[in-house]
Amino acid sequence: AVVKYLLCVVRLQHAGRYNDDFDDGEDIAEFDDNDFAEFEDVSEDPAVDVEKEPPPRAAPSSTPIEDEEDEATVENEDGQDEFEDADAQDQDMYSKYDNEEFEGHEKTNPSFKDTLIYREVPAHLQNSWESYYMEILMVTGLLAYIMNYIIGKNKNSRLAQAWFNSHRELLESNFALVGDDGTSKEATSTGKLNQENEHIYNLWCSGRVCCEGMLIQLKFLKRQDLLNVLARMMRPVCDQVQVKVTLNDEDMDTFVFAVGSRKAMARLQKEMQDLSEFCGDKPKSGAKYGIPESLSILSEMGEVTDGVMDSKMVHYLTSHADKIESIHFSDQFSGPKVMQEEGQPLKLPETKKTLLFTFNVPGMGNTSPKDMDSLLPLMNMVIYSIDKLKKLRLNREGKQKADRNRARVEENFLKQTHAQRQEAAQTRREEKKRAEKERIMNEEDPDRQRRLEEAAQRREQKKLEKKQMKMKQIKVKAM
Amino acid sequence: MDLSAKIIYKPPNTETNPTLEDPTPDYMNLLGMIFSMCGLMLKLKWCAWIAVYCSFISFANSRSSEDTKQMMSSFMLSISAVVMSYLQNPQPMSPPW
């Protein structure tokens, strides 16, 4: 019976697949053995059912194809589909058959077609790179950063070289030493720019009268950093060339002066130690002295402005006003104000006679190497200023005023730090006493010890007497 | 043009005020290390990727006098954080939206 059952199943499957042969199949059934005759009626129902099965099975199988956007997985789903189809088909037929064959058998729920669950394959097991799109984005970002680094670095390097090529002749004719990176103990002229960073280049020139030396810093934009490039798209900034000339004491008279763009002047007056102390007035407009309105002047006294603003200087400033950020001459230059945590510093900061020039490179970031030639006249102005200041001397009145200013500043400073200096003096005195006592204690010879002790006692007595005298004097004066 | 003046060699750059120097490379280095540690300990892929970016930015902004060993170590740490996160969990990163 089992064999007949199996054979029948095979026939039914065969019948279900080839609908063309369906009629033939029926005919064959009629002419078959009596063994199979009993299955004749039964064969129709499952056959009909089988016919019905493929179309509804086809319907759900098509929808998953539509649902799945991922083309690569359609094949898998289809394969699974077919598999599940065949399985379900068999099971269905078997259950139907069981119902007919066996009595008392519970009818199993044949709703397989409703509860087909299509499991999603985990993304990392799928053979597709598309699911890793975030990683690809990240790597692309990194590659973009590296590309920008290389391009930016090269651009900065080309700009620096272009600047140096156009200025080399002028510098070499004026200075004996051009380019020294400070690595060797003696002064050696390397004749090259010193690269501090991917965006900062230094050049030290020395060996000229009227000045100690000149440090030129090419402060380019950070073209090598992509973040900086993006930030600059929001807020455009310029490349800058900063020239700092340090002078010997005899090369400059005592005054403080600055000229530059209005914004720069306002900022410098707040930031710079010497400008805030000596140039208290608000920046004056440059129009009074024949230079463009966009420039303003900070000066210690009017005489200084008159002295600096001669016709040639005015000519320089007028023709290159757009490139000048700030020009700062000072004999009390000590850099920007230093914020100290423990209150005021005990000593006045060290000052040096300095000329500080800051120039903007034209192009507002989009500079080309050709723009560097336009900075050459500004370097001429620097050299001219150095020579001029050597000759510029204040008259007697001006000098007196300048000296008074400096004395005033020093006095203010001393007043502010009075309390602290007192404390420091006190501690120093105590230290001295302690050191002396120790010396006496350490002395081996008892005689010498006694003598030293007596000497210390005598000194203390003298001090007390002096103090008493002073007090008496003050009292007398008060009276 | 009178070259009778004395020649002085350039004073070392250490004279420049350290507070004026750009703190970006140091901050980025520190951030990079923090993100790598987070990525390694908490198995967060995006932390590790950000660490790689931080170490690149720190390298781009670094001064030439700075130690290359420091740069290399931070770079290697961030790369190892990325590799470890993917070995532990090969699933692709999911966007936060």
Side-chain angles (χ1 to χ4, degrees):
Chain A
V2 175
V3 175
K4 283 181 196 170
Y5 172 88
L6 285 170
L7 280 170
C8 183
V9 165
V10 170
R11 265 197 60 222
L12 287 169
Q13 279 190 335
H14 194 75
R17 295 239 161 86
Y18 298 101
N19 291 329
D20 291 341
D21 298 333
F22 188 69
D23 292 332
D24 292 336
E26 248 186 334
D27 290 339
I28 293 166
E30 274 177 341
F31 292 119
D32 238 359
D33 278 347
N34 281 340
D35 285 352
F36 291 112
E38 65 194 55
F39 299 132
E40 212 180 317
D41 292 328
V42 181
S43 74
E44 272 192 48
D45 295 325
V48 168
D49 284 329
V50 165
E51 232 188 61
K52 282 199 197 133
E53 296 297 339
R57 205 52 52 79
S61 72
S62 64
T63 41
I65 293 170
E66 283 162 19
D67 288 340
E68 278 294 324
E69 288 165 9
D70 209 343
E71 283 186 359
T73 58
V74 165
E75 278 177 79
N76 288 344
E77 302 287 13
D78 263 349
Q80 284 173 347
D81 217 0
E82 284 174 3
F83 214 72
E84 281 171 355
D85 265 353
D87 271 347
Q89 214 172 27
D90 285 343
Q91 264 182 325
D92 230 344
M93 289 198 323
Y94 279 131
S95 68
K96 286 272 190 273
Y97 208 74
D98 281 346
N99 285 337
E100 298 287 334
E101 182 82 352
F102 302 105
E103 281 175 327
H105 183 82
E106 278 174 14
K107 198 169 187 175
T108 55
N109 197 352
S111 58
F112 285 111
K113 48 185 177 244
D114 295 330
T115 57
L116 275 173
I117 302 164
Y118 295 94
R119 293 271 171 231
E120 269 196 40
V121 180
H124 67 281
L125 294 175
Q126 295 172 11
N127 281 332
S128 80
W129 290 109
E130 284 175 19
S131 51
Y132 284 94
Y133 67 96
M134 282 295 285
E135 281 77 13
I136 292 172
L137 265 174
M138 288 291 192
V139 173
T140 316
L142 275 178
L143 284 174
Y145 193 90
I146 295 172
M147 290 291 294
N148 178 72
Y149 175 80
I150 295 172
I151 294 171
K153 189 170 90 123
N154 285 338
K155 172 115 196 235
N156 277 347
S157 171
R158 270 184 294 130
L159 285 174
Q161 214 46 51
W163 180 92
F164 190 52
N165 289 336
S166 66
H167 287 72
R168 184 200 293 261
E169 221 179 288
L170 175 67
L171 291 172
E172 279 178 354
S173 63
N174 271 294
F175 292 90
L177 167 74
V178 173
D180 180 7
D181 50 11
T183 48
S184 56
K185 285 226 166 74
E186 289 168 6
T188 42
S189 183
T190 60
K192 283 196 300 221
L193 289 167
N194 178 27
Q195 185 176 7
E196 186 184 308
N197 240 332
E198 302 299 343
H199 62 284
I200 296 182
Y201 292 81
N202 293 336
L203 186 71
W204 172 255
C205 305
S206 185
R208 189 184 195 277
V209 289
C210 312
C211 72
E212 212 177 73
M214 178 167 80
L215 177 66
I216 305 174
Q217 269 196 321
L218 303 176
K219 289 185 174 164
F220 292 132
L221 304 168
K222 285 189 186 177
R223 291 187 176 84
Q224 79 275 13
D225 180 15
L226 188 60
L227 286 184
N228 209 283
V229 170
L230 295 171
R232 265 189 297 118
M233 289 185 186
M234 315 285 168
R235 201 166 49 101
V237 191
C238 280
D239 296 301
Q240 281 190 338
V241 176
Q242 196 176 69
V243 181
K244 185 171 174 185
V245 185
T246 39
L247 303 168
N248 297 313
D249 283 332
E250 66 272 14
D251 294 330
M252 182 177 160
D253 209 350
T254 54
F255 61 86
V256 176
F257 173 82
V259 62
S261 71
R262 260 179 281 144
K263 248 188 177 176
M265 286 297 104
R267 186 174 42 91
L268 284 178
Q269 194 175 31
K270 272 183 248 157
E271 277 180 9
M272 288 294 179
Q273 179 87 12
D274 51 352
L275 285 175
S276 60
E277 283 172 354
F278 292 96
C279 307
D281 303 327
K282 270 201 324 198
K284 292 196 199 89
S285 166
K288 290 184 206 153
Y289 295 91
I291 55 176
E293 183 72 33
S294 58
L295 299 174
S296 52
I297 299 172
L298 275 173
S299 174
E300 197 177 347
M301 49 190 126
E303 190 200 331
V304 169
T305 320
D306 293 328
V308 172
M309 289 290 165
D310 62 352
S311 56
K312 206 163 178 193
M313 201 64 166
V314 168
H315 170 75
Y316 273 124
L317 290 171
T318 318
S319 46
H320 304 284
D322 56 330
K323 298 190 204 89
I324 293 172
E325 170 84 4
S326 71
I327 297 176
H328 181 185
F329 303 152
S330 172
D331 73 311
Q332 300 280 314
F333 183 78
S334 58
K337 282 190 196 167
V338 180
M339 292 299 154
Q340 289 248 354
E341 287 112 19
E342 312 143 354
Q344 300 279 358
L346 289 175
K347 274 198 305 178
L348 270 174
E350 268 187 46
T351 60
K352 187 99 180 114
K353 296 201 175 179
T354 312
L355 313 180
L356 191 59
F357 300 81
T358 309
F359 302 129
N360 292 328
V361 178
M364 203 64 174
N366 298 328
T367 34
S368 72
K370 285 182 286 228
D371 292 328
M372 293 302 173
D373 291 332
S374 58
L375 294 172
L376 197 54
L378 294 169
M379 196 52 66
N380 281 322
M381 180 175 78
V382 171
I383 307 285
Y384 172 74
S385 309
I386 298 172
D387 291 328
K388 183 191 170 59
L389 287 189
K390 173 86 178 185
K391 289 177 253 164
L392 180 66
R393 290 281 176 264
L394 300 167
N395 61 17
R396 203 162 55 97
E397 206 183 289
K399 193 85 177 86
Q400 278 179 352
K401 211 174 169 191
D403 290 336
R404 255 182 288 143
N405 280 340
R406 275 145 192 75
R408 173 183 47 90
V409 166
E410 208 179 320
E411 210 184 302
N412 283 341
F413 180 79
L414 288 173
K415 268 193 208 160
Q416 280 171 350
T417 58
H418 180 72
Q420 270 159 311
R421 276 184 302 113
Q422 250 191 347
E423 245 188 79
Q426 181 77 2
T427 42
R428 256 183 282 130
R429 255 180 275 142
E430 278 174 18
E431 280 288 331
K432 257 195 208 167
K433 265 192 196 163
R434 234 182 290 147
E436 266 227 48
K437 275 195 187 146
E438 265 204 59
R439 226 177 1 115
I440 293 170
M441 298 294 265
N442 292 340
E443 199 59 61
E444 284 174 6
D445 196 0
D447 280 335
R448 279 191 83 176
Q449 214 179 34
R450 231 185 308 125
R451 253 180 279 152
L452 281 168
E453 267 189 50
E454 279 171 13
Q457 267 182 353
R458 257 179 278 146
R459 252 180 274 142
E460 283 233 32
Q461 254 192 334
K462 268 193 194 164
K463 273 192 191 160
L464 273 166
E465 278 171 22
K466 257 194 188 168
K467 255 193 176 169
Q468 280 171 351
M469 287 286 284
K470 265 195 182 165
M471 293 296 284
K472 277 188 190 164
Q473 277 180 357
I474 290 169
K475 276 187 184 164
V476 165
K477 275 192 184 165
M479 287 200 305
Chain B
M1 187 192 80
D2 186 358
L3 299 179
S4 59
K6 54 182 172 171
I7 297 173
I8 307 169
Y9 67 93
K10 176 183 155 90
N13 259 333
T14 49
E15 244 181 55
T16 56
N17 199 343
T19 57
L20 288 175
E21 279 176 6
D22 185 24
T24 307
D26 302 320
Y27 281 155
M28 281 296 149
N29 221 353
L30 183 66
L31 264 183
M33 290 211 226
I34 292 173
F35 274 117
S36 334
M37 295 320 286
C38 280
L40 274 172
M41 305 293 181
L42 306 174
K43 299 180 191 173
L44 296 169
K45 294 197 178 75
W46 55 269
C47 272
W49 279 109
I50 293 175
V52 176
Y53 271 96
C54 283
S55 101
F56 266 94
I57 294 170
S58 171
F59 170 72
N61 283 299
S62 67
R63 301 170 270 278
S64 62
S65 57
E66 218 160 285
D67 213 1
T68 51
K69 280 183 282 194
Q70 175 88 331
M71 291 292 137
M72 287 306 291
S73 78
S74 117
F75 187 62
M76 288 297 146
L77 184 62
S78 55
I79 296 281
S80 73
V82 170
V83 169
M84 289 309 291
S85 316
Y86 278 94
L87 282 178
Q88 286 164 355
N89 180 12
Q91 285 242 1
M93 217 165 37
S94 58
W97 51 87

